[in-house]
């Protein structure tokens, strides 16, 4: 590392019950959070090709580096492995998550025949940062549960659409132009 400031990826790590390094939490506005590709519970298998094999101390050392330097994480979620490329950096906002802090996807929803239509998407929201959702998309299921005929104010919808910061939500959508997709 050079004389630049040493920074990380904006996440907390822990050893899981299975002895694997997993993401324990995300720093709001940090590289992991803003990527929308790293979530609480993801297993860290490697950092820049180095296997971490349950070694949190090694993973933390490898997460650190000079500001704006690239790093590739080998992650596993639900048994599927993937690579995520990030730039090390400070959080965009200097605000720490409060324990138990909740958030939603950051979009206005209304009931339509097929499900829940997305109206406006808030700037900087998870919906916008994911790059996967657009105004006029229709959500047909949330975490595999059909939402046809439900209201955005329905208690069951609110329980899954508003959760702890860093919680993942799987949406099946119909694009405004009618094609199906996963977000």
């Amino acid at each position: 590392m050079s004389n630049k400031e040493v920074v990380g990826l904006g996440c907390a790590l822990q050893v899981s019950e299975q002895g694997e390094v997993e993401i324990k939490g995300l720093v709001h506005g940090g590289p992991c959070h803003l990527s929308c590709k790293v979530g609480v519970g993801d297993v860290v298998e490697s950092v820049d090709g180095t296997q971490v094999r349950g070694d949190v101390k090694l993973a933390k050392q490898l997460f650190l580096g000079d500001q704006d330097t690239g790093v590739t994480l080998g992650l596993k979620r639900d048994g599927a492995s993937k690579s995520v490329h990030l730039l090390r950096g400070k959080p965009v906002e200097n605000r720490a998550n409060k324990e138990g802090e909740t958030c939603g996807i950051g979009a206005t929803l209304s009931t339509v025949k097929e499900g829940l239509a997305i109206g406006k998407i808030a700037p900087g929201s998870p919906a916008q940062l994911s790059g996967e959702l657009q105004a006029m998309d229709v959500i047909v299921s949330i975490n595999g549960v059909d939402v046809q005929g439900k209201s955005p104010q329905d208690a069951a919808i609110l329980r899954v659409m508003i959760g702890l910061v860093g919680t993942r939500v799987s949406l099946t959508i119909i694009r405004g132009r009618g094609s199906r997709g996963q977000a």
Side-chain angles (χ1 to χ4, degrees), residues 172-183:
T172 302
I173 61 169
I174 300 172
R175 282 269 171 244
R177 59 186 178 273
S179 62
R180 277 196 180 276
Q182 281 284 130

Side-chain angles (χ1 to χ4, degrees), residues 160-183:
V160 293
M161 293 298 278
I162 298 176
L164 294 175
V165 171
T167 303
R168 294 220 170 251
V169 177
S170 175
L171 305 176
T172 302
I173 61 169
I174 300 172
R175 282 269 171 244
R177 59 186 178 273
S179 62
R180 277 196 180 276
Q182 281 284 130

